[in-house]
Structure formats: structure tokens, C-alpha cells
Amino acid sequence: MRMKIIGTGSALPRTRVDNGQMAEWVDTTDAWIRERTGIGERRLSTGETVVSLGTEACLKALEQAGIGAEEVDLILLATCTPEYLFPCGACQIQAAIGAVHAAAYDINAACSGFVFGLNAAQAYIRAGVYRRILVVGSEVLSKVADWSDRSTCVLFGDGAGAVLAQAREDGESRMLSSIQGADGTKGMVLNCRSRMMMNPLFQENPEEADTMYLTMDGREVYCFAVRQVAVCIAQVLEKAGLTPEEVGLFILHQANVRIIEAVARNLGVDIGRFPMNLERVGNMSSASIPVLLDELNREGRLHRGDRIVLSGFGGGLTYGACVLVW
Ligand code: COA
């Protein structure tokens, strides 16, 4: 059984925030942000949620595929910024779209989450467990950003993307290979704490409350990404029996233009084959890849039979990639 993506969708908050606006909130400049990251603006939530954005993205993917929500077997939501610990966001999206026959659960692999979700969908489909799976990446990172830390708050944006993956017995479209990994020993270089322990027997130091926002060692994350993503893509291509020249597009997690340029250089691939949208939307963690995929799809830049590499990397630290025949 092969996995074919038959619909894509995305949703962004309505409010744009450019670098000039950021400079009114923290001590920064448009020039610094553009030069170091490639980001020009991002969308920030003024009430949109992981569930509302994810729901909109799913409905668009279903509409494009011409499939009713009740025909979906599973919803996998990649998110690291859920509104609730439980019910999970995937169950809330299931209710919102009326996917009455679908199982649903969340995946937290930070910025690698969408690729991990797609790899899981492929495994379920190959094993014959499910036939139609919505894989969603949805984040409201502005909720966990530290708005007093200029080195992190300028990087992130909010948004959601989704694909509908379907089992097919024939046709060219499929996933050729996948790879994923983690290095938990370096997890704290990009972290955001959950709730503190405050039970009647034990209370954590209230000063720890400062760590309940996103913190990052930018240099460490940068070095990890440049090194690991190129290795990961080389490995996933080798598994598929392909060389970089045989791939049409490399759709990477949109963290930073300099990371993407370094990966392209390491692979010896022209940067023109690495589409980017981070100038307009910033780093949307697990939503970056599916939003870009949807934009490319709707612009008519993906053609059946094209070979595409997806690669995500981020908190965990996690990394993953897959090769698709579109
Ligand atoms: N505006 C202006 N100056 C800023 C700034 C901002 N928004 N953020 C940091 N600076 C300053 C720092 O305070 C520092 O000043 P100093 O030299 O006086 O101490 C200077 O700029 C350099 O900071 P540094 O952190 O060394 O910059 P950098 O070249 O490493 O770039 C990142 C910082 C975050 C852009 C870069 O490390 C990066 O992209 N890392 C990867 C982050 C990422 O993608 N994370 C998500 C992965 S999923």
C-alpha cells in the first residue's frame, strides 16, 4: 500500500507584524533581523488558536481532496503549543470538523513534528491500519515566546498547515524513504517548561516560573541544524537510492535562511531548489513545512511524479526527513 497526499491546506492568523513593529516592542532593528534570519514579518495570533488554525487548514485540505471529514480514519496533530494538556488538540479538531470515525492524538516533536507525523502516517498506511489520515502542524508560538527576549521573540510566528494522506494500491505517488532521530542529551538548548510542581507535599522554587517561556541557545541550535540536517538528508536520499540531483525541491523547516543556505551548500545543491516563505511568516515550528507545502501546491509548483525532500529539525533535539514522489 502506498501513501499519496491528495489534499493540502493552511491557515494563518489575520494580523501581520513586521520587523518595524517588533522594534517598538524590543531593542532590535529590521536590518538585524533580516541579516541574521531572513525574516521580514510574521503573523501573530489575536485570538486564533492551535485548534482554530488547525481546523481551517484541515477543512481546506479536505475540500481540495473532495473528501468528507467523516471519511477520515485518523488525525495526527503535531504541536508543541497546545491549548490544553487534555483533551489533545487533535481531538478538538476532530470535533470541530466532524471527523466522527477518526481516532486522534497529538505528537510533540517540536519543529520536526510534521515530518514525524507524516512518517507515522506512512507506517499506518503501509501496515493497512488506516486508509485516510490528516496530518496537521499547528502552532501558536507567540503564547510561549518571551516578549522581553529580543534574541528569541523576533524569530517565531503562528500558523497551521495540513495534508490529507490516502492509501493507494497503484500510481507513482508514494513515500520512498524516511528517517528520524533525536538527541535528548542536548534537549535543554531549546526548551519551554510546562507547569510547575505545586502539590501539597512539594513546591518548586517560584523563580523557576521564568523558565515557563521559550529559551534557546541560538548558536548551539544553529550548529546542530546545519550539521544534522545535511547528514539526515544525505541518509534519506541514500535509502531511496537517489542523488541530490534527482530531487526537484527540498522543503526544509523554515527556521533561518542562513541554516537553509548552509544545508544547500553542504549538499552541493543550488539554493533555488530550496523554496522559502520565512521572509513572510517566520519560524512556525511544526507548521512551517505544511504551510510551505500548501503554498507550493496551490501555486502549481508541485507536479505528480516530482521527487521532493521534506526535512524538519528543532526542539528535543529532533530531526527527520522523508523523500516523496508527489
Ligand atoms: N536585535 C538586535 N540585536 C540582537 C537581537 C535582536 N533581535 N538578538 C540578539 N542580538 C544581539 C545579541 O545581544 C548580541 O549582542 P552582543 O554581541 O552585544 O552580546 C549580538 O546580537 C549577537 O548575538 P548572537 O546570539 O551571537 O547572534 P547570532 O549571530 O548567533 O544570531 C540567531 C542569533 C538566534 C539568529 C542565531 O543564533 C540562529 O539563527 N540560531 C538558530 C535559531 C533557530 O533557528 N532556532 C529554531 C530552531 S527550530
Side-chain angles (χ1 to χ4, degrees):
M1 204 64 78
R2 296 167 175 186
M3 182 185 81
K4 178 177 182 178
I5 292 175
I6 60 166
T8 63
S10 59
L12 298 174
R14 69 187 84 82
T15 306
R16 289 169 201 268
V17 174
D18 65 15
N19 292 342
Q21 172 68 68
M22 296 298 304
E24 289 178 25
W25 293 337
V26 287
D27 181 14
T28 190
T29 60
D30 177 56
W32 193 97
I33 302 172
R34 280 186 189 273
E35 199 178 298
R36 304 286 174 121
T37 70
I39 297 165
E41 61 179 47
R42 71 287 292 142
R43 302 291 185 97
L44 297 185
S45 168
T46 51
E48 294 92 345
T49 65
V50 164
V51 171
S52 70
L53 294 167
T55 296
E56 190 182 333
C58 286
L59 289 173
K60 288 179 180 168
L62 288 168
E63 186 190 15
Q64 189 181 69
I67 298 286
E70 67 290 348
E71 297 173 78
V72 174
D73 302 316
L74 176 67
I75 301 171
L76 293 176
L77 170 66
T79 187
C80 55
T81 52
E83 271 84 46
Y84 287 86
L85 293 175
F86 48 87
C88 66
C91 282
Q92 292 177 290
I93 291 174
Q94 185 239 21
I97 66 174
V100 288
H101 298 121
Y105 63 89
D106 289 3
I107 295 173
N108 179 352
C111 307
S112 309
F114 178 78
V115 171
F116 278 34
L118 202 62
N119 290 346
Q122 145 85 355
Y124 277 128
I125 285 173
R126 271 191 89 155
V129 179
Y130 295 118
R131 289 191 63 80
R132 290 201 186 97
I133 305 178
L134 274 168
V135 185
V136 196
S138 185
E139 303 285 4
V140 177
L141 288 151
S142 57
K143 181 164 65 184
V144 297
D146 177 349
W147 290 96
S148 65
D149 177 11
R150 65 178 180 173
S151 68
T152 53
C153 71
V154 300
L155 305 175
F156 299 100
D158 303 331
V163 302
L164 181 63
Q166 176 165 273
R168 296 290 280 258
E169 268 124 51
D170 51 13
E172 227 190 321
S173 302
R174 61 192 183 279
M175 186 184 283
L176 291 177
S177 63
S178 65
I179 199 162
Q180 52 193 34
D183 181 1
T185 65
K186 303 235 170 60
M188 287 303 145
V189 304
L190 177 51
N191 75 77
C192 180
R193 276 204 54 169
S194 181
R195 294 181 184 212
M196 292 170 62
M197 178 65 112
M198 286 289 168
N199 74 22
L201 302 173
F202 180 79
Q203 289 94 43
E204 283 181 84
N205 180 350
E207 282 171 21
E208 288 281 315
D210 285 350
T211 61
M212 292 169 82
Y213 292 94
L214 186 152
T215 61
M216 178 178 74
D217 180 335
R219 288 265 166 94
E220 278 282 339
V221 175
Y222 184 88
C223 294
F224 154 77
V226 169
R227 187 184 59 250
Q228 192 62 58
V229 178
V231 169
C232 177
I233 292 176
Q235 286 174 345
V236 85
L237 285 174
E238 192 184 344
K239 236 174 142 179
L242 295 174
T243 62
E245 290 69 45
E246 293 171 291
V247 173
L249 293 176
F250 293 81
I251 300 175
L252 266 54
H253 170 50
Q254 302 286 295
N256 183 314
V257 70
R258 293 188 302 152
I259 293 176
I260 297 176
E261 285 169 351
V263 171
R265 260 195 318 276
N266 286 348
L267 290 168
V269 176
D270 184 81
I271 190 70
R273 280 153 63 202
F274 287 73
M276 291 181 229
N277 64 2
L278 60 87
E279 197 277 332
R280 285 181 288 111
V281 291
N283 177 347
M284 299 183 292
S285 190
S286 70
S288 278
I289 291 175
V291 169
L292 180 54
L293 197 63
D294 181 50
E295 289 175 357
L296 294 167
N297 190 24
R298 286 173 193 268
E299 286 164 13
R301 289 180 62 191
L302 306 178
H303 306 106
R304 288 290 163 210
D306 285 355
R307 296 188 186 107
I308 295 166
V309 168
L310 308 184
S311 182
F313 51 92
L317 297 173
T318 55
Y319 52 91
C322 60
V323 185
L324 300 174
V325 178
W326 187 252

